[in-house]
Amino acid sequence: MAPFPEAEIMTIKRLEVALRKMDYKLLKDGAYKLHEKYHGGHKFEYFDLLKEIFLEISNNPSIPTDVKDILSPTIEDILTQQGIETNTTTSPYESFNHQETPNETTQNEHQTETKINAFDAFSAPKETAQPHRYFTQSPFSAQPFKEFHPIEHHQPIHSQTVQSEPEQKIQEENQIQEQYQQPTFEAVQKEEAQAIQEQSYSQQVEQAEQVEQVEQQTAEAEAPQKKKTIAIYYAQNNSNEKIKNISKLRELISSSRDKNSSIDDILSLISEISIQSDTNVFELKGIIEQLNLKGNSANLITNSQSANFVELLNSTNVTYSLYDNNEDNKINIIPVNGLSNLFVCEECNGKYLNKNNGIKPLILECPKCKHPMYPDFYSGVEEAKINMNYYNKALINLANSTTWLLIHPTYNSSIDINIIKSALNVSSKVEEIYIVDKDINAREQYRAMIAEINPEIKVNIQNTVLEDFLNNI
């Protein structure tokens, strides 16, 4: 049996959903279906809904021209045939009231009473009397109904013998039995009516399933999708010379309280370390802009100490915080080894982030206790030379993120590797990890390490990894 054509209300609902969601693909599909239904001779009923759709597409400049060229003329032809105005300012209700005359009122009221409700069309069929219909396949279409006449007794003609009375009686009974075994008109009509009812019910069930499917798709499209929690781990290699300078600086600052350190030596080391630290980090700009465009937040964890992170985030107009999971900010930056423009007071442990890129002081005066504030540098190679508070914040934010983007992950620092390993071991939330690095061996090493800890995590090391990451967030 050929599939039943789509119900009119189904086609209209498709168009309404497409207009509400501005889904031009769905709108074009609905336009073609309405066009086919009109040219197939369908008798339309829901003129008010069609007029609403006509007004919407006529007054919405964002609808593509190719869709509008199909949909507008089709609806206009349907409405015009019913004498309904097709200007783009009159509502469908005003249009109907304007066209109605006293003689037409009674007819319209009758049509309103007999018109099937849009929701009743997809409900289970009610037990109502079936109207009389004519069927081309009826067994009586070729032969009109003929009455049963009494069997007349004719003398059989035989050239040699004449039937006896018992034989004649048996023959008459057989003829009567054969005659009454033929289906009666009422039986055939009842059987066909039942078949029509079953066919109608089957069609209604199919249409109801189609409506349910469209509504489910609409609900899924309208339902707010769960945003992924994202962690970006951005690594840069630290030279051995820089690590030695940071270690020496921390020793000098510690001994400065005993007046055994030269302020010139301290300032000289701070200047040298700052030059070594302030590397270029602007390769992150495109990623941060895409995150902001899609409404995603991210934890940016890094072993870099570059003051250029502040300039980068300011250039993208992205709100950010430092070591603070503030929901109002798009980026939470967690520099595990400190920053060259993040100052800390050795006396009261107060912190200050210098956001003035034009002026780069080497030391500051603490606004609370008036003691010197030095850049917050850590070497990141030994436990005694790391900030455990920063380390724990990085580990916790990694473990609580479902999606990781590892950029240039390094094996040179045991601290960096331990943060990633520890987060993988304690986390049950990590679902996918994207690894970006020019060296395929580095990508393979991290993929193997992740698979050993948790083989269920999806790891992407393809050449299109960055594009895949941005498409999936």
Side-chain angles (χ1 to χ4, degrees), residues 66-266:
D66 59 335
V67 178
K68 189 177 292 187
D69 289 344
I70 298 170
L71 194 53
S72 292
T74 303
I75 299 179
E76 189 171 6
D77 288 345
I78 295 170
L79 298 177
T80 302
Q81 287 183 358
Q82 299 298 318
I84 300 172
E85 293 182 5
T86 56
N87 62 68
T88 57
T89 56
T90 307
S91 71
Y93 306 102
E94 294 173 350
S95 179
F96 273 110
N97 293 334
H98 179 74
Q99 294 294 326
E100 239 177 36
T101 62
N103 292 334
E104 291 175 336
T105 303
T106 305
Q107 180 180 357
N108 288 340
E109 289 176 355
H110 176 70
Q111 290 179 349
T112 303
E113 292 175 358
T114 58
K115 188 164 100 172
I116 301 175
N117 182 276
F119 297 99
D120 292 342
F122 306 106
S123 60
K126 299 180 181 178
E127 295 182 357
T128 56
Q130 293 293 328
H132 180 71
R133 303 186 183 183
Y134 298 92
F135 308 98
T136 57
Q137 301 301 321
S138 170
F140 298 98
S141 59
Q143 272 185 305
F145 173 72
K146 57 182 180 180
E147 297 179 357
F148 296 116
H149 297 284
I151 303 299
E152 297 181 359
H153 296 272
H154 298 282
Q155 185 69 26
I157 301 174
H158 294 283
S159 58
Q160 297 179 354
T161 61
V162 179
Q163 285 183 329
S164 64
E165 184 176 349
E167 291 175 346
Q168 186 175 0
K169 184 175 182 182
I170 292 173
Q171 183 179 2
E172 291 175 355
E173 289 177 353
N174 289 338
Q175 291 176 349
I176 293 172
Q177 185 176 0
E178 290 176 0
Q179 186 176 20
Y180 280 94
Q181 284 177 347
Q182 297 295 326
T184 64
F185 178 78
E186 290 79 4
V188 172
Q189 186 182 36
K190 182 178 180 180
E191 183 178 350
E192 291 185 348
Q194 183 178 359
I196 292 170
Q197 186 175 7
E198 291 175 355
Q199 177 179 326
S200 176
Y201 178 75
S202 175
Q203 180 179 2
Q204 291 172 2
V205 169
E206 183 178 346
Q207 291 174 342
E209 289 175 350
Q210 291 176 352
V211 170
E212 183 179 358
Q213 183 179 3
V214 170
E215 289 178 345
Q216 183 178 357
Q217 293 173 352
T218 304
E220 291 175 356
E222 293 178 347
Q225 296 184 355
K226 181 182 178 182
K227 291 186 181 298
K228 297 180 179 181
T229 50
I230 300 169
I232 301 174
Y233 185 89
Y234 179 73
Q236 289 185 336
N237 288 327
N238 291 316
S239 66
N240 290 331
E241 184 181 358
K242 175 185 172 183
I243 292 171
K244 290 178 181 178
N245 285 339
I246 292 174
S247 299
K248 186 176 180 180
L249 175 63
R250 299 201 68 84
E251 291 175 2
L252 288 175
I253 293 174
S254 297
S255 61
S256 65
R257 296 183 179 183
D258 301 327
K259 311 298 181 183
N260 295 326
S261 300
S262 167
I263 188 64
D264 290 337
D265 292 340
I266 293 176

Side-chain angles (χ1 to χ4, degrees), residues 15-29 31 52-73 75:
L15 293 170
E16 290 177 341
V17 170
L19 287 171
R20 186 166 67 252
K21 299 299 298 179
M22 284 293 105
D23 187 337
Y24 298 130
K25 183 177 182 301
L26 183 62
L27 185 63
K28 189 173 185 178
D29 182 51
E52 289 290 351
I53 295 172
F54 178 76
L55 291 175
E56 174 64 22
I57 61 176
S58 299
N59 297 310
N60 192 336
S62 65
I63 295 177
T65 305
D66 59 335
V67 178
K68 189 177 292 187
D69 289 344
I70 298 170
L71 194 53
S72 292
I75 299 179

Side-chain angles (χ1 to χ4, degrees), residues 386-402:
I386 66 172
N387 186 316
M388 288 304 298
N389 187 34
Y390 298 168
Y391 180 94
N392 290 333
K393 284 180 179 292
L395 191 154
I396 291 170
N397 281 279
L398 271 174
N400 287 334
S401 299
T402 60

Side-chain angles (χ1 to χ4, degrees), residues 312-343:
L312 167 66
L313 294 170
N314 288 338
S315 69
T316 57
N317 295 320
V318 174
T319 56
Y320 64 92
S321 55
L322 187 65
Y323 304 111
D324 181 20
N325 296 93
N326 189 333
E327 294 182 355
D328 295 332
N329 295 313
K330 291 295 182 182
I331 299 293
N332 173 32
I333 180 171
I334 306 173
V336 181
N337 296 325
L339 292 173
S340 66
N341 58 337
L342 176 63
F343 294 83

